[in-house]
Amino acid sequence: MKAEELLERREFEKLTPKVAMKFLYHPNEFYRFRGAEALGYLCKGEKARNYILRLFWHLSDESGAYCIGAPLGIAEIGLNNPEVFEGFKNRFVSLLDDWEVERKYVAYGIARTAHLVKDAYPNPVEKLLEVLKELKDNPDFVAYALFALKRLKAEIPNEFKKDCRFAKFYDGEGIKSIRICELLDII
């Protein structure tokens, strides 16, 4: 069975972390999310720490192999390894300041790990609100940022409560095109 099919079926135990990590580079966004979920499932303890370090390194210019899905992988590994992620949560939230990183993935990761990053520095709510002002014209980022704010039990800014632009949003099953105002009702 092909790795894509294993990801689609969530048969992560049949993959290796190395194979799952390759999907963080995949041109199809759905496979980036599923590859990250697989990494979270497959990486435990010291392996989790090493993969998080590797993924942060793959976000730097020095790595020579920039990984667009690295924030997704970091978050999923962190979600399943909270004791390891504790040492990385501040650095993870700080990725919102890096314009070279796919910040919608950082926002999604903050949503996934909300209970772990709620007391991070910088404050994830303040940082999300700051970047939301900067990226308010990007409906995909707005959707993930609002998802994260809601998971952090923060107030949604009024200007976005009636935002009915379409955004692409990964809901755990697939990438859906949904109006942001409708998304707020279901997340």
Side-chain angles (χ1 to χ4, degrees), residues 28-77:
N28 183 326
E29 189 173 41
F30 170 78
Y31 291 118
R32 287 184 214 142
F33 281 98
R34 285 291 171 89
E37 290 172 9
L39 268 178
Y41 175 84
L42 295 166
C43 295
K44 303 289 181 232
E46 191 61 26
K47 185 185 283 187
R49 184 181 180 288
N50 290 339
Y51 268 88
I52 288 174
L53 285 169
R54 183 181 302 176
L55 289 168
F56 272 113
W57 184 68
H58 279 283
L59 288 172
S60 71
D61 292 335
E62 295 82 30
S63 75
Y66 178 78
C67 180
I68 190 169
L72 297 172
I74 294 166
E76 292 295 331
I77 294 169

Side-chain angles (χ1 to χ4, degrees), residues 3 5 16 40 43-44 50 61 87-88 97 107 110 115 132 134 140 144 149 164 167 170 172 175 179-180:
E5 293 172 10
T16 64
C43 295
K44 303 289 181 232
N50 290 339
D61 292 335
F88 295 100
D97 287 328
I110 290 171
H115 64 290
L132 196 52
E134 177 189 341
D140 293 350
Y144 288 115
L149 288 169
C164 287
Y170 179 73
I175 296 178
R179 290 185 185 275
I180 293 169

Side-chain angles (χ1 to χ4, degrees), residues 4-185:
E4 286 89 350
E5 293 172 10
L6 295 173
L7 287 176
E8 289 168 12
R9 295 172 179 222
R10 284 197 166 105
E11 294 181 16
F12 302 148
E13 69 281 355
K14 295 179 181 176
L15 297 168
T16 64
K18 186 175 180 180
V19 169
M21 188 162 160
K22 288 180 183 180
F23 283 96
L24 299 179
Y25 296 88
H26 202 281
N28 183 326
E29 189 173 41
F30 170 78
Y31 291 118
R32 287 184 214 142
F33 281 98
R34 285 291 171 89
E37 290 172 9
L39 268 178
Y41 175 84
L42 295 166
C43 295
K44 303 289 181 232
E46 191 61 26
K47 185 185 283 187
R49 184 181 180 288
N50 290 339
Y51 268 88
I52 288 174
L53 285 169
R54 183 181 302 176
L55 289 168
F56 272 113
W57 184 68
H58 279 283
L59 288 172
S60 71
D61 292 335
E62 295 82 30
S63 75
Y66 178 78
C67 180
I68 190 169
L72 297 172
I74 294 166
E76 292 295 331
I77 294 169
L79 180 65
N80 291 300
N81 296 275
E83 68 290 344
V84 172
F85 191 61
E86 179 66 26
F88 295 100
K89 68 183 182 184
N90 297 339
R91 188 171 174 199
F92 184 73
V93 172
S94 293
L95 288 175
L96 284 171
D97 287 328
D98 188 345
W99 61 270
E100 292 181 313
V101 172
E102 186 58 72
R103 293 188 278 182
K104 71 179 181 182
Y105 292 161
V106 179
Y108 179 81
I110 290 171
R112 294 281 289 157
T113 60
H115 64 290
L116 301 173
V117 300
K118 67 181 182 290
D119 62 344
Y121 181 82
N123 180 303
V125 172
E126 292 172 7
K127 188 52 66 181
L128 282 162
L129 290 171
E130 178 185 312
V131 178
L132 196 52
K133 287 179 186 172
E134 177 189 341
L135 298 178
K136 67 182 179 213
D137 294 332
N138 179 333
D140 293 350
F141 177 80
V142 169
Y144 288 115
L146 297 180
F147 177 47
L149 288 169
K150 199 150 185 182
R151 294 288 303 271
L152 290 163
K153 297 176 179 20
E155 184 67 31
I156 303 296
N158 285 331
E159 67 183 285
F160 297 106
K161 289 180 180 176
K162 294 184 181 181
D163 186 342
C164 287
R165 292 177 292 169
F166 278 97
K168 291 181 186 166
F169 185 82
Y170 179 73
D171 67 358
E173 296 304 318
I175 296 178
K176 310 284 192 266
S177 182
I178 188 166
R179 290 185 185 275
I180 293 169
C181 56
E182 295 170 2
L183 178 66
L184 285 173
D185 292 334

